[in-house]
């Protein structure tokens, strides 16, 4: 059985649990995206840093000249500290505080992706007191249901995100009337872990419709930000370690109908960083239940909450065993019934002390870690190649 390419010998003396990051894989992934950008001079990428804001990961991505998509003032600060230039930083979020808006304006970030008329007025007022003009895009809720987990779809009219597309003209009028904001374009983001490219075709069709409406009204379109959400293959991390960026960019190349020279911005998060991260943990006990056997490991929902929070699947592998597979529920030590990584998974026979790999954990893993049960935040180990 293929177990990826883990330097298991070097793990032996590292206290578990910890995150392992395969930097050569991250670099190969960034190469694929960079080739797409070289082919498409009007495309820009802003890495969604909420997926993983580990400074080492941010530095790798910033070094490529990509921008950053931030959803809090602290993320703007982290992006700047990692070397993303302010002119590459965009700032989204339904609830930006006054302090966050002021900070981002003072740093001279590229764009506020504004999610309501109320927010637009506050940004205008704060920019006024600072004597500057805020560059804004309007985040439009396209009312498209991405075929993904209900907890991570964001583009439906019932979601809290963005401005309903029926209200776009009204909010655009407001943005044009306010003296301290400058309308720069439209922003969209339909959800996460999207594997059905038809969802992105639907987004393109909606964008084309809105662009046509603006053009007919004699309005400027500005640039178009299509957000992120590209999914990865959680089932087969060894065979398919890089997301289908070619297919993703191809959809927009083929389906978007935009005025000549329009910049198109992308905000991938998960797809850039999920495959390169693995949570490494040790088996503490193998417990025989009456109907199940449990592999109890020292990693838990405090390092990787996705299974508990979204019922997300991560492939679990035993890096120390070559014995025949058995069926286990792999669980953590936290006092919550949801602290389960996988149920009834076939895994090479587990013994106390075995090293377990919880794969594809580079996105929304370390960045969502918590101190619950007084657990310390996880350490990390970088494989340089
Ligand atoms: C979270 C987020 C992204 C990134 O989503 P992924 O599914 O990780 O690619 C992009 N844009 C916005 C506005 C976001 O909130």
């Amino acid at each position: 059985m293929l177990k990826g390419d883990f330097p298991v010998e070097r793990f032996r003396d590292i206290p578990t649990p910890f995150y392992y990051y395969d930097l050569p894989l991250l670099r190969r992934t960034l190469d694929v995206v960079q080739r797409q950008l070289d082919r498409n001079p009007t495309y820009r990428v802003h890495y969604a840093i909420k997926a993983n804001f580990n400074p080492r990961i941010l530095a790798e991505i910033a070094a490529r000249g990509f921008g950053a998509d931030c959803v809090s003032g602290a993320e703007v600060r982290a992006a700047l500290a990692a070397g993303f230039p302010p002119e590459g930083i965009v700032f989204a979020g339904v609830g930006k505080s006054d302090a966050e808006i002021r900070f981002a304006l003072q740093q001279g970030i590229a764009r506020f992706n504004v999610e309501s008329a109320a927010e637009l007025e506050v940004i205008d007022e704060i920019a006024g007191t600072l004597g500057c003009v805020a560059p804004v895009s309007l985040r439009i809720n396209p009312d498209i249901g991405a075929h993904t987990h209900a907890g991570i779809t964001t583009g439906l009219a019932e979601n809290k995100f963005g401005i309903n597309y029926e209200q776009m003209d009204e909010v655009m009028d407001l943005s044009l009337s306010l003296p301290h904001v400058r309308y720069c374009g439209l922003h969209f983001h339909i959800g996460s872990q999207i594997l059905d490219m038809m969802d992105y075709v639907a987004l393109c069709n909606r964008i084309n419709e809105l662009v046509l409406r603006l053009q007919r009204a004699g309005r400027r379109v500005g640039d178009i930000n299509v957000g992120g959400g590209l999914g990865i293959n959680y089932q087969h991390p060894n065979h398919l370690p890089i997301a289908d960026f070619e297919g993703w960019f191809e959809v927009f190349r083929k389906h978007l109908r935009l005025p000549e020279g329009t910049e198109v911005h992308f905000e991938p998060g998960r797809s850039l960083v999920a495959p390169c991260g693995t949570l490494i943990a040790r088996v503490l006990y193998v417990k025989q239940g009456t109907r199940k056997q449990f592999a109890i490991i020292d990693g838990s929902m405090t390092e990787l909450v996705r299974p508990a929070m979204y019922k997300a699947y991560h492939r679990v592998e035993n890096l120390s065993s070559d014995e025949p597979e058995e069926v286990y529920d792999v669980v953590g030590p936290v006092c919550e019934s949801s602290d389960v990584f996988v149920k009834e998974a076939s895994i090479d026979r587990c013994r106390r002390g075995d090293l377990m790999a919880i794969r594809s954990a580079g996105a929304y893993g370390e960045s969502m870690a918590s101190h619950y049960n007084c657990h310390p935040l996880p350490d990390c180990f970088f494989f340089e190649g």
Side-chain angles (χ1 to χ4, degrees), residues 126-133 180:
I126 295 172
T129 64
L130 294 175
C132 62
V133 174
H180 297 286

Side-chain angles (χ1 to χ4, degrees), residues 18-72:
F18 63 89
Y19 273 98
Y20 164 82
Y21 292 110
D22 180 345
L23 295 179
L25 174 57
L26 175 61
R27 290 174 193 138
R28 287 199 302 280
T29 306
L30 296 172
D31 290 342
V32 169
V33 176
Q34 206 145 32
R35 274 198 295 277
Q36 291 293 318
L37 295 183
D38 293 344
R39 285 185 56 193
N40 299 281
T42 57
Y43 286 7
R44 306 278 179 271
V45 165
H46 302 273
Y47 165 58
I49 77 171
K50 72 175 187 289
N52 189 317
F53 47 82
N54 184 299
R56 190 79 183 74
I57 303 276
L58 291 186
E60 285 287 334
I61 298 173
R64 299 297 179 119
F66 294 179
D69 166 43
C70 301
V71 293
S72 73

Side-chain angles (χ1 to χ4, degrees), residues 48 50 69 71 92 139 187 189 191-193 228-229 267-270 364:
K50 72 175 187 289
D69 166 43
V71 293
R139 177 170 180 176
H187 175 246
H189 174 62
S192 203
Q193 184 52 19
E267 298 175 333
R270 180 194 312 275
Y364 307 107

Side-chain angles (χ1 to χ4, degrees), residues 75-129:
E75 281 196 357
V76 173
R77 197 181 295 276
L80 291 166
F84 290 95
E87 57 278 12
I89 295 178
V90 301
F91 184 9
V94 288
K96 302 177 189 74
S97 73
D98 294 20
E100 289 175 316
I101 292 166
R102 195 172 302 113
F103 173 69
L105 281 169
Q106 285 164 338
Q107 301 304 315
I109 66 160
R111 198 65 56 83
F112 290 83
N113 290 323
V114 172
E115 308 219 9
S116 63
E119 179 192 336
L120 198 55
E121 286 173 340
V122 170
I123 291 176
D124 176 69
E125 189 187 314
I126 295 172
T129 64

Side-chain angles (χ1 to χ4, degrees), residues 53 301-303 305-306 309-310 364-370:
F53 47 82
M301 64 191 285
T302 62
E303 289 80 41
V305 77
R306 298 187 67 256
M309 187 162 162
Y310 309 118
Y364 307 107
E366 191 183 354
S367 68
M368 285 187 166
S370 78

